Amino acid sequence: MEEVRDGHAHGGGMEPEEPGSPREPPSPPPAPSPLSPSAPESPGLPTPEPPSEAHARRLLLAEWGPPGGSLELPRGLTWKLLLLRRPLYRNLLRSPNPEGINIYEPAPVTHPTWQSLETLGNFRGWYIKTEKLQHNLSWTVKQQCVDLLAEGLWEELLDDQQPDITVMDWYEDSRLDTCVYELHVWLLAADRCTIIAQHHVAPRTSKKGPPSHWVQVSHVFRQYGPGVRFVHFLHKTKNRVEPGGLRRTRVTDSSVSVQFRE
C-alpha cells in the first residue's frame, strides 16, 4: 500500500499539468442534501438499562480526551444523547465501502463491464455522475455533504474548540492514466455555499509497487476558523472504455471524522 499524505496543512493545491484536471481549486458543485442521521441498529437483544448522565459523561470524557479533560455542553444537549450519537471519532460518511473491498488484500480482479456502478454495491448516500473526457476516458464523480450539527456536533464546539476534521480515502492504482483519482473537500458555512476551508489533490500514478495496489490519501483540517457546519466530500475515479465495457478505478474506505487534537 502507498500513502499520499499532507497532514496538517489548512488547504491544498492540485497537481499541475494534468490534462483533464483543474489547475485552480474548483468551487464546490451544488451540495447534495445531507441524509438524516441513521438510527442505531437494534441487535435484537434485550435493551440494557441506559446509563445515568454522570456515567455517560465519564465514559465519553475518558474516550474522547478533550483538552483540559472536560467539555461544556450547551443547554438542551445531554451526555446520554452524545453517548447514543457518538459524533466524535466516528466516520460520518454513508456507505464508505460500497463494494465491500478489503484494502489489506490486492484489489479483486475485474473485467470491463457496462453495468451501472449502482448495481455493483451499496451506494446509499452517494450522489453519482459521470464526466466524459477525451481518448475513451471518463471520471466517475461521487459526493456526499455531511451536516455536522445533524450528526450530533454542536456550534460552540465547532466554533470555539475547532476540533480536527480528518478526511481519508483509498484508491486503486489502476494505471488507466497518469492521474486516476482526485479528492476535493470543502468546509462550508450554514448556507452550504460559503467556503471556510478547502483541500484539493490529484496525485499522479507513481508506478511503484504492483498494479492495482491501494493508495491512501488523507488530510487534516486544523484551525479552520468559526462557522463550519457542513463538510462537502467529493472524489473522482477514472474509467477507460475497453472492448467489453468500462474498466473502472475503484475506491474504498472513504471517511470524514472529527476528533480532538492530540
Side-chain angles (χ1 to χ4, degrees), residues 91-98 103 126 142 144 166-171 181 183 217 233 235 251-257:
N91 190 355
L92 303 177
L93 290 179
R94 299 296 182 87
S95 309
N97 185 353
I103 59 170
W126 291 102
K142 306 205 317 291
Q144 293 190 38
T166 301
V167 294
M168 190 178 299
D169 219 359
W170 295 82
Y171 72 91
Y181 170 89
L183 175 66
V217 179
F233 179 101
H235 59 203
V251 64
T252 189
D253 284 0
S254 310
S255 67
V256 171
S257 61

Side-chain angles (χ1 to χ4, degrees), residues 4-7 9-16 21-29 141 143 167 169 171 179 181-188 193-204 217-221 231-236:
V4 178
R5 286 184 177 272
D6 114 72
H10 305 310
M14 298 292 299
E15 291 278 352
S21 297
R23 294 177 179 270
E24 297 181 359
S27 298
V141 183
Q143 59 184 311
V167 294
D169 219 359
Y171 72 91
C179 176
Y181 170 89
E182 291 184 6
L183 175 66
H184 306 274
V185 185
W186 298 267
L187 304 188
L188 303 177
C193 296
T194 303
I195 301 171
I196 294 175
Q198 57 188 305
H199 176 70
H200 309 276
V201 63
R204 292 172 179 266
V217 179
S218 63
H219 179 74
V220 181
F221 290 96
V231 179
H232 188 162
F233 179 101
L234 181 153
H235 59 203
K236 298 182 177 184

Side-chain angles (χ1 to χ4, degrees), residues 15 19 52 57 65 71 84-85 125 131 136 143 146 162 168-169 173 175 195 197 201 220 232:
E15 291 278 352
S52 66
R57 179 179 183 275
L71 272 178
L84 176 66
R85 302 296 301 282
E131 292 181 0
N136 293 326
Q143 59 184 311
V146 177
Q162 296 175 28
M168 190 178 299
D169 219 359
D173 184 16
R175 302 185 185 175
I195 301 171
V201 63
V220 181
H232 188 162

Side-chain angles (χ1 to χ4, degrees), residues 156-164 222-226 261:
E156 293 84 353
L157 177 72
L158 294 169
D159 293 347
D160 300 336
Q161 299 208 26
Q162 296 175 28
D164 290 352
R222 288 183 169 167
Q223 299 175 347
Y224 36 79
R261 206 164 297 118

Side-chain angles (χ1 to χ4, degrees), residues 19-171:
S21 297
R23 294 177 179 270
E24 297 181 359
S27 298
S33 299
L35 296 176
S36 300
S38 300
E41 294 185 5
S42 172
L45 300 174
T47 304
E49 188 71 22
S52 66
E53 184 74 358
H55 183 52
R57 179 179 183 275
R58 285 195 301 271
L59 286 175
L60 290 179
L61 289 180
E63 180 180 315
W64 293 345
S70 186
L71 272 178
E72 294 295 327
L73 302 187
R75 181 174 298 179
L77 182 60
T78 67
W79 289 101
K80 290 196 288 186
L81 180 59
L82 285 177
L83 186 64
L84 176 66
R85 302 296 301 282
R86 292 185 180 270
L88 293 165
Y89 300 91
R90 171 171 67 86
N91 190 355
L92 303 177
L93 290 179
R94 299 296 182 87
S95 309
N97 185 353
E99 297 180 70
I101 299 173
N102 184 354
I103 59 170
Y104 298 103
E105 298 176 357
V109 176
T110 60
H111 301 285
T113 178
W114 291 118
Q115 283 184 267
S116 66
L117 183 64
E118 291 87 340
T119 67
L120 301 178
N122 173 19
F123 290 87
R124 182 176 182 271
W126 291 102
Y127 294 79
I128 305 171
K129 68 175 183 177
T130 300
E131 292 181 0
K132 292 186 177 180
L133 304 171
Q134 297 178 339
H135 310 300
N136 293 326
L137 297 172
S138 63
W139 287 115
T140 293
V141 183
K142 306 205 317 291
Q143 59 184 311
Q144 293 190 38
C145 189
V146 177
D147 184 337
L148 296 175
L149 300 186
E151 293 294 342
L153 298 161
W154 57 101
E155 294 180 353
E156 293 84 353
L157 177 72
L158 294 169
D159 293 347
D160 300 336
Q161 299 208 26
Q162 296 175 28
D164 290 352
I165 299 176
T166 301
V167 294
M168 190 178 299
D169 219 359
W170 295 82
Y171 72 91

